[in-house]
Amino acid sequence: MPGWIDLSVPVVTGMPVYPGDPDVEVSPALRAPRDGVNVLQLHMGSQSGTHVDAPYHMDDAWPRLDELPLERFAGHAVVADVRGLPARAPITLELLAPALRQLRPGSLVLLATGWSAYWGSDHYLAHPWLTPEAAEALVAARVRTVAVDALSVDPTPQPGDATADFGLPAHRVVCGAGGVIAENLTGLDQVMGLPDVELFLFPLRLPGADGAPVRAVARAV
Protein backbone atom coordinates (compact mmCIF):
# COMPACT_ATOMS: atom_id res chain seq x y z
CA MET A 1 0.00 0.00 0.00
CA PRO A 2 1.60 3.34 -1.03
CA GLY A 3 2.03 6.10 1.53
CA TRP A 4 2.13 9.75 0.57
CA ILE A 5 1.81 10.42 -3.18
CA ASP A 6 2.91 13.70 -4.75
CA LEU A 7 0.52 14.81 -7.52
CA SER A 8 2.19 18.18 -8.20
CA VAL A 9 4.24 19.42 -11.16
CA PRO A 10 7.66 20.94 -10.37
CA VAL A 11 7.83 24.74 -10.36
CA VAL A 12 10.64 25.65 -12.77
CA THR A 13 11.60 28.46 -15.11
CA GLY A 14 9.74 28.28 -18.41
CA MET A 15 7.14 25.76 -17.26
CA PRO A 16 3.83 25.64 -19.17
CA VAL A 17 1.22 28.26 -18.26
CA TYR A 18 -2.31 28.98 -19.45
CA PRO A 19 -2.19 31.14 -22.60
CA GLY A 20 -1.77 34.77 -21.54
CA ASP A 21 -0.76 34.04 -17.93
CA PRO A 22 2.57 35.33 -16.54
CA ASP A 23 5.61 33.26 -17.34
CA VAL A 24 7.34 31.45 -14.48
CA GLU A 25 10.91 32.36 -13.59
CA VAL A 26 12.89 30.87 -10.70
CA SER A 27 16.34 32.34 -10.08
CA PRO A 28 18.83 32.70 -7.24
CA ALA A 29 18.42 35.89 -5.19
CA LEU A 30 21.04 35.11 -2.54
CA ARG A 31 23.84 32.56 -2.62
CA ALA A 32 25.41 30.95 0.45
CA PRO A 33 29.07 31.40 -0.65
CA ARG A 34 28.49 35.12 -1.20
CA ASP A 35 25.56 36.08 1.06
CA GLY A 36 25.64 33.45 3.79
CA VAL A 37 22.30 31.86 2.78
CA ASN A 38 20.54 30.48 -0.29
CA VAL A 39 17.29 32.23 -1.26
CA LEU A 40 15.32 31.88 -4.50
CA GLN A 41 13.46 34.64 -6.28
CA LEU A 42 10.12 33.59 -7.77
CA HIS A 43 8.14 35.28 -10.52
CA MET A 44 4.85 33.54 -11.29
CA GLY A 45 1.11 34.02 -11.60
CA SER A 46 -1.43 32.84 -9.06
CA GLN A 47 -2.57 30.18 -11.55
CA SER A 48 0.88 28.72 -12.17
CA GLY A 49 1.63 25.01 -12.00
CA THR A 50 -0.56 22.81 -9.84
CA HIS A 51 -2.99 25.33 -8.37
CA VAL A 52 -6.54 25.97 -7.18
CA ASP A 53 -9.06 28.47 -8.54
CA ALA A 54 -11.22 30.28 -6.01
CA PRO A 55 -14.68 31.50 -7.08
CA TYR A 56 -13.25 35.04 -7.26
CA HIS A 57 -11.23 33.86 -10.25
CA MET A 58 -14.46 34.05 -12.27
CA ASP A 59 -16.45 36.89 -10.66
CA ASP A 60 -15.58 39.84 -8.42
CA ALA A 61 -18.69 39.17 -6.33
CA TRP A 62 -17.76 35.57 -5.52
CA PRO A 63 -15.62 34.41 -2.55
CA ARG A 64 -11.90 35.02 -2.54
CA LEU A 65 -9.40 32.33 -1.69
CA ASP A 66 -9.01 33.29 1.96
CA GLU A 67 -12.78 33.38 2.44
CA LEU A 68 -13.21 29.68 1.73
CA PRO A 69 -13.40 26.99 4.43
CA LEU A 70 -10.32 24.80 4.70
CA GLU A 71 -12.38 21.67 4.06
CA ARG A 72 -12.60 22.77 0.41
CA PHE A 73 -8.95 21.75 0.11
CA ALA A 74 -8.81 18.31 1.72
CA GLY A 75 -10.90 15.19 2.11
CA HIS A 76 -11.97 11.86 0.71
CA ALA A 77 -11.38 11.71 -3.03
CA VAL A 78 -13.30 9.84 -5.70
CA VAL A 79 -11.38 9.21 -8.92
CA ALA A 80 -13.30 9.49 -12.17
CA ASP A 81 -11.31 7.45 -14.69
CA VAL A 82 -11.85 9.15 -18.04
CA ARG A 83 -8.53 8.17 -19.59
CA GLY A 84 -8.40 7.23 -23.25
CA LEU A 85 -10.45 10.13 -24.58
CA PRO A 86 -9.25 11.78 -27.80
CA ALA A 87 -7.98 15.35 -27.99
CA ARG A 88 -10.50 18.05 -27.02
CA ALA A 89 -13.16 15.46 -26.21
CA PRO A 90 -15.98 16.27 -23.76
CA ILE A 91 -16.15 14.62 -20.35
CA THR A 92 -19.86 13.90 -20.22
CA LEU A 93 -22.28 13.08 -17.45
CA GLU A 94 -22.37 9.48 -18.68
CA LEU A 95 -18.60 9.16 -18.22
CA LEU A 96 -18.88 10.49 -14.66
CA ALA A 97 -21.73 8.16 -13.65
CA PRO A 98 -19.50 5.50 -11.97
CA ALA A 99 -17.75 8.17 -9.88
CA LEU A 100 -21.03 9.83 -8.90
CA ARG A 101 -22.19 6.54 -7.41
CA GLN A 102 -19.13 6.47 -5.11
CA LEU A 103 -19.55 9.93 -3.60
CA ARG A 104 -19.77 10.54 0.13
CA PRO A 105 -20.71 13.81 1.83
CA GLY A 106 -17.81 16.19 1.30
CA SER A 107 -16.05 14.11 -1.36
CA LEU A 108 -13.53 15.72 -3.68
CA VAL A 109 -13.53 14.53 -7.30
CA LEU A 110 -10.36 13.77 -9.25
CA LEU A 111 -10.78 13.75 -13.03
CA ALA A 112 -8.10 11.39 -14.35
CA THR A 113 -7.75 12.19 -18.05
CA GLY A 114 -4.18 10.95 -18.45
CA TRP A 115 -3.36 14.26 -20.13
CA SER A 116 -0.48 15.00 -17.74
CA ALA A 117 1.55 12.73 -20.03
CA TYR A 118 1.64 15.67 -22.48
CA TRP A 119 2.88 18.23 -19.93
CA GLY A 120 5.43 20.49 -21.62
CA SER A 121 4.21 19.81 -25.16
CA ASP A 122 1.81 21.76 -27.38
CA HIS A 123 -0.60 18.83 -27.22
CA TYR A 124 -1.18 19.58 -23.53
CA LEU A 125 -3.53 22.38 -24.67
CA ALA A 126 -5.77 19.85 -26.47
CA HIS A 127 -7.01 18.23 -23.26
CA PRO A 128 -10.50 16.80 -22.65
CA TRP A 129 -12.93 19.14 -20.92
CA LEU A 130 -15.86 18.92 -18.53
CA THR A 131 -19.28 19.62 -20.03
CA PRO A 132 -21.53 22.11 -18.20
CA GLU A 133 -24.07 19.32 -17.67
CA ALA A 134 -21.45 17.13 -16.00
CA ALA A 135 -20.32 20.05 -13.86
CA GLU A 136 -23.92 20.71 -12.85
CA ALA A 137 -24.34 17.04 -11.86
CA LEU A 138 -21.26 17.27 -9.61
CA VAL A 139 -22.58 20.41 -7.95
CA ALA A 140 -26.03 18.83 -7.54
CA ALA A 141 -24.29 15.91 -5.80
CA ARG A 142 -22.80 18.48 -3.38
CA VAL A 143 -19.28 18.22 -4.76
CA ARG A 144 -17.46 21.50 -4.16
CA THR A 145 -13.91 20.54 -5.16
CA VAL A 146 -12.97 19.25 -8.61
CA ALA A 147 -9.37 18.48 -9.57
CA VAL A 148 -7.99 17.51 -12.98
CA ASP A 149 -4.67 16.37 -14.47
CA ALA A 150 -4.99 18.87 -17.31
CA LEU A 151 -4.60 22.58 -17.92
CA SER A 152 -8.28 23.37 -17.32
CA VAL A 153 -11.69 21.82 -16.81
CA ASP A 154 -12.85 23.91 -19.79
CA PRO A 155 -11.48 23.89 -23.34
CA THR A 156 -8.21 25.80 -23.70
CA PRO A 157 -7.72 28.14 -26.68
CA GLN A 158 -5.08 26.98 -29.13
CA PRO A 159 -3.33 28.79 -31.98
CA GLY A 160 -6.06 29.78 -34.43
CA ASP A 161 -8.74 29.98 -31.73
CA ALA A 162 -8.22 33.69 -31.01
CA THR A 163 -11.80 34.64 -31.91
CA ALA A 164 -13.45 31.68 -30.19
CA ASP A 165 -15.68 32.42 -27.21
CA PHE A 166 -14.93 29.66 -24.71
CA GLY A 167 -16.67 31.33 -21.75
CA LEU A 168 -15.35 28.83 -19.18
CA PRO A 169 -18.81 27.37 -18.42
CA ALA A 170 -17.63 24.50 -16.17
CA HIS A 171 -15.63 26.99 -14.12
CA ARG A 172 -18.72 29.13 -13.73
CA VAL A 173 -20.84 26.19 -12.59
CA VAL A 174 -18.38 24.96 -9.93
CA CYS A 175 -17.14 28.36 -8.79
CA GLY A 176 -20.65 29.76 -8.86
CA ALA A 177 -21.61 27.15 -6.26
CA GLY A 178 -18.78 28.31 -4.00
CA GLY A 179 -16.53 25.49 -5.14
CA VAL A 180 -12.87 25.31 -6.12
CA ILE A 181 -11.10 23.81 -9.10
CA ALA A 182 -7.60 22.35 -8.98
CA GLU A 183 -5.68 22.04 -12.25
CA ASN A 184 -2.37 20.70 -13.57
CA LEU A 185 -2.20 17.68 -11.28
CA THR A 186 0.04 14.87 -12.42
CA GLY A 187 0.62 11.17 -11.80
CA LEU A 188 -2.99 10.22 -11.06
CA ASP A 189 -2.18 6.69 -12.20
CA GLN A 190 -0.66 6.29 -8.73
CA VAL A 191 -4.08 6.58 -7.08
CA MET A 192 -6.04 4.53 -9.60
CA GLY A 193 -7.43 1.39 -8.02
CA LEU A 194 -6.75 2.40 -4.42
CA PRO A 195 -9.79 1.53 -2.27
CA ASP A 196 -9.76 4.77 -0.27
CA VAL A 197 -7.87 7.98 -1.00
CA GLU A 198 -7.48 11.28 0.83
CA LEU A 199 -6.50 14.36 -1.19
CA PHE A 200 -4.82 17.53 0.09
CA LEU A 201 -4.77 20.75 -1.96
CA PHE A 202 -3.84 23.46 0.54
CA PRO A 203 -2.97 26.74 -1.23
CA LEU A 204 -0.64 29.54 -0.25
CA ARG A 205 -2.37 31.97 2.13
CA LEU A 206 -2.83 34.91 -0.26
CA PRO A 207 -5.42 37.40 1.05
CA GLY A 208 -8.04 38.40 -1.52
CA ALA A 209 -6.60 36.04 -4.14
CA ASP A 210 -8.23 34.42 -7.17
CA GLY A 211 -6.23 31.24 -6.58
CA ALA A 212 -2.80 30.00 -5.63
CA PRO A 213 -0.27 27.24 -6.25
CA VAL A 214 -0.69 24.10 -4.15
CA ARG A 215 1.31 21.02 -3.25
CA ALA A 216 -1.23 18.40 -4.30
CA VAL A 217 -0.72 15.27 -2.23
CA ALA A 218 -2.75 12.08 -1.81
CA ARG A 219 -2.51 9.13 0.54
CA ALA A 220 -4.19 5.78 0.84
CA VAL A 221 -6.24 5.34 4.01
Side-chain angles (χ1 to χ4, degrees):
M1 184 75 69
W4 293 96
I5 304 168
D6 196 341
L7 303 177
S8 313
V9 297
V11 177
V12 297
T13 297
M15 68 192 293
V17 297
Y18 192 85
D21 277 12
D23 290 332
V24 175
E25 183 177 343
V26 182
S27 59
L30 302 175
R31 299 299 300 269
R34 181 190 66 202
D35 306 301
V37 293
N38 288 311
V39 174
L40 288 176
Q41 175 175 275
L42 306 177
H43 177 274
M44 59 196 301
S46 56
Q47 306 282 319
S48 299
T50 307
H51 68 275
V52 293
D53 299 345
Y56 179 65
H57 181 49
M58 299 305 301
D59 194 301
D60 283 358
W62 292 352
R64 291 162 165 78
L65 186 64
D66 55 325
E67 296 171 338
L68 296 170
L70 289 176
E71 54 263 33
R72 287 283 189 278
F73 308 106
H76 170 258
V78 171
V79 182
D81 187 356
V82 293
R83 293 174 296 176
L85 291 173
R88 309 191 87 173
I91 301 171
T92 63
L93 177 56
E94 290 74 20
L95 290 172
L96 291 188
L100 288 170
R101 290 193 289 268
Q102 300 176 50
L103 292 175
R104 307 175 187 171
S107 287
L108 292 67
V109 169
L110 275 167
L111 301 177
T113 69
W115 225 253
S116 60
Y118 302 111
W119 175 254
S121 74
D122 291 343
H123 198 54
Y124 192 63
L125 277 65
H127 56 83
W129 49 275
L130 189 65
T131 66
E133 294 77 16
E136 288 165 359
L138 290 171
V139 167
R142 308 190 72 174
V143 172
R144 293 297 180 269
T145 305
V146 179
V148 66
D149 59 346
L151 187 58
S152 176
V153 294
D154 284 298
T156 296
Q158 298 187 74
D161 291 337
T163 60
D165 181 12
F166 285 89
L168 303 176
H171 274 80
R172 294 195 173 278
V173 171
V174 177
C175 291
V180 300
I181 297 168
E183 295 161 330
N184 291 328
L185 278 74
T186 190
L188 295 190
D189 56 298
Q190 299 173 86
V191 300
M192 306 300 295
L194 295 178
D196 216 355
V197 176
E198 281 187 317
L199 179 65
F200 303 87
L201 300 167
F202 291 114
L204 297 176
R205 192 172 183 179
L206 298 177
D210 58 279
V214 306
R215 186 70 176 268
V217 176
R219 68 174 178 180
V221 293

